[in-house]
Amino acid sequence: MTKTRKPLQKYRRVVIKIGSALLVDRATGLKKAWLDAMCADIAALRSKGIDVLVVSSGAIALGRTVLKLPPGALKLEESQAAAAVGQIALARAWSESLSTDAIVAGQVLLTLGDTEERRRYLNARATINQLLKLGAVPIINENDTVATTEIRYGDNDRLAARVATMVGADLLVLLSDIDGLYTAPPHLDPDARFLDTIAEITPEIEAMAGGAASELSRGGMRTKIDAGKIATTAGCAMIIASGKPDHPLAAIENGARSSWFAPSGSPVTARKTWIAGQLLPAGTLSIDAGAEDALRSGKSLLPAGVREVKGTFSRGDTIAILGAAGREIARGLAGYDADEARQIAGKKSAEIAAILGYAGRAAMVHRDDLVMTGKRADEKDGRRDEVHA
Ligand code: GLU
């Protein structure tokens, strides 16, 4: 079993969620010194080659300070207006602070549909991956200005967990004013015990999460445990730690109290298990021997190698891939809708734009979205038969 606590530099891609109370003071607004120290921690991680994504709360808290709204609960329209005002200031603050470490920030505002509907999920994921590829740090928040009660996360704990699974992160760090998980609310129960590692989120662990949240933020321990379930089942470890000290990531490295949740499996395995486990693929692609070889050597499926497209599917649906011998060899997420796939099957990637009228993706199924499910026709029990010429 993998050791639950590892130095942060052992991770490859880290999502850091920052609670409103850390960034915003009701009376004085943005906590600039704290943000600068946080950005220095982010720069330190990045200098070790780790991809960093930030899910930053604070838009509503900052906006209500700027607009001088009275304390207490806000109506939906008021929090939407507060978010509109606060998000500009928040994004600017991140951008300015990160730029002192020569890091470029990119603002990404998501709604529930962007992480839950497959097509939008793929689009959001592609944009975030592109930002990372270009060396920028995505600064993500829920698009509170347009999110309504029915279609919103409402808390950034679960949003951050969905982002972590979306980009295949291997670590999610939830920073807030809570330093971790206790067996009972510590301010109410003197016997409450701190839990520093959680191997699995059992019903007992879930029962320990009360409903309490701090005044500035929406997330309490409940949403943090929900986030833990989303992250760990997708193979992503999670840490709950206090963000109160300056340099909170350095503090975690130096052994500050924090609760670590062990992942089940690796992000890649979890994702591929999910793809392979889809019961009813929405369609099939029959491919030629050259494409089959390419897939077996870990490459993406290009339109040129596709001989036939069957079924009705949309981009993002799971489809089965049939090898040259007509048997299923792989499953993957379609990069194109079925009718588009039919039009570009057998065509070179350079011809796609002229056929579809827009420059689509080069791959019919990207290798990150592909899992091999069947052996080669001439393979038995995982061993390839010798071929005599
Ligand atoms: N998206 C909200 C904001 O930026 C924060 C939600 C939360 O507190 O988790 O104000």
Side-chain angles (χ1 to χ4, degrees):
M1 207 190 122
T2 49
K3 224 169 116 247
T4 306
R5 286 177 172 253
K6 290 197 285 188
L8 297 187
Q9 76 234 30
K10 294 273 184 223
Y11 293 92
R12 195 179 39 77
R13 186 168 273 192
V14 179
V15 175
I16 303 162
K17 182 261 168 173
I18 292 163
S20 301
L22 298 174
L23 267 170
V24 183
D25 181 284
R26 225 357 122 61
T28 54
L30 189 84
K31 297 184 185 172
K32 175 98 173 64
W34 185 89
L35 178 61
D36 286 343
M38 183 72 228
C39 288
D41 278 8
I42 291 174
L45 276 190
R46 290 202 2 138
S47 71
K48 293 179 182 118
I50 299 163
D51 288 337
V52 179
L53 300 92
V54 173
V55 173
S56 175
S57 303
I60 297 174
L62 201 53
R64 66 186 294 163
T65 309
V66 176
L67 292 170
K68 302 196 171 40
L69 298 177
L74 296 178
K75 293 202 216 63
L76 179 64
E77 315 82 77
E78 286 171 330
S79 46
Q80 288 176 321
V85 171
Q87 184 61 38
I88 289 189
L90 189 65
R92 177 166 169 207
W94 275 106
S95 174
E96 281 180 3
S97 262
L98 283 169
S99 73
T100 59
D101 292 294
I103 297 173
V104 173
Q107 175 185 256
V108 181
L109 296 179
L110 298 173
T111 52
L112 191 64
D114 294 314
T115 60
E116 304 309 300
E117 284 168 31
R118 267 177 299 208
R119 171 185 289 268
R120 286 165 62 187
Y121 171 96
L122 290 180
N123 290 338
R125 189 184 68 172
T127 308
I128 295 173
N129 278 332
Q130 188 62 34
L131 278 170
L132 293 171
K133 211 163 141 190
L134 295 171
V137 170
I139 305 293
I140 302 162
N141 197 358
E142 184 162 17
N143 194 348
D144 293 308
T145 300
V146 297
T148 56
T149 353
E150 308 80 57
I151 48 153
R152 73 192 322 226
Y153 275 98
D155 67 272
N156 277 358
D157 295 323
R158 290 175 308 145
L159 173 67
R162 289 299 280 139
V163 167
T165 63
M166 180 150 98
V167 299
D170 47 3
L171 178 65
L172 167 64
V173 184
L174 300 182
L175 295 178
S176 68
D177 45 9
I178 307 166
D179 59 2
L181 179 65
Y182 293 79
T183 51
H187 56 289
L188 301 176
D189 184 345
D191 295 329
R193 241 176 353 98
F194 185 81
L195 297 174
D196 60 5
T197 51
I198 295 95
E200 195 191 340
I201 301 178
T202 57
E204 291 73 42
I205 295 288
E206 287 193 61
M208 291 171 194
S214 82
E215 207 213 329
L216 276 182
S217 76
R218 292 212 186 75
M221 194 47 80
R222 174 76 265 152
T223 56
K224 290 182 175 47
I225 297 299
D226 287 346
K229 288 203 312 206
I230 296 169
T232 57
T233 50
C236 177
M238 187 177 90
I239 302 175
I240 300 177
S242 169
K244 281 184 187 159
D246 278 355
H247 298 287
L249 297 183
I252 294 174
E253 285 287 40
N254 295 330
R257 177 179 262 206
S258 49
S259 293
W260 293 55
F261 294 72
S264 42
S266 75
V268 177
T269 341
R271 179 173 165 67
K272 298 217 164 179
T273 309
W274 181 80
I275 294 173
Q278 294 290 292
L279 291 181
L280 284 176
T284 57
L285 301 179
S286 301
I287 65 172
D288 62 24
E292 181 168 346
D293 282 343
L295 257 51
R296 291 190 186 283
S297 62
K299 300 210 174 92
S300 295
L301 175 63
L302 300 180
V306 177
R307 291 195 308 212
E308 197 186 2
V309 178
K310 281 196 184 147
T312 317
F313 52 85
S314 302
R315 178 166 136 72
D317 284 346
T318 303
I319 47 176
I321 298 171
L322 311 184
R327 280 204 295 268
E328 178 178 318
I329 58 157
R331 285 191 181 188
L333 303 183
Y336 283 94
D337 293 347
D339 53 339
E340 290 179 331
R342 279 188 190 94
Q343 292 176 58
I344 59 173
K347 303 289 194 301
K348 294 203 174 61
S349 298
E351 297 174 89
I352 296 178
I355 298 169
L356 299 181
Y358 71 94
R361 287 156 183 80
M364 191 82 106
V365 180
H366 192 273
R367 63 197 174 104
D368 291 349
D369 300 330
L370 193 75
V371 51
M372 301 308 291
T373 52
K375 297 186 190 90
R376 191 187 282 274
D378 54 5
E379 254 176 340
K380 275 185 200 147
D381 303 329
R383 189 167 48 84
R384 180 116 170 248
D385 280 356
E386 265 184 66
V387 181
H388 299 284

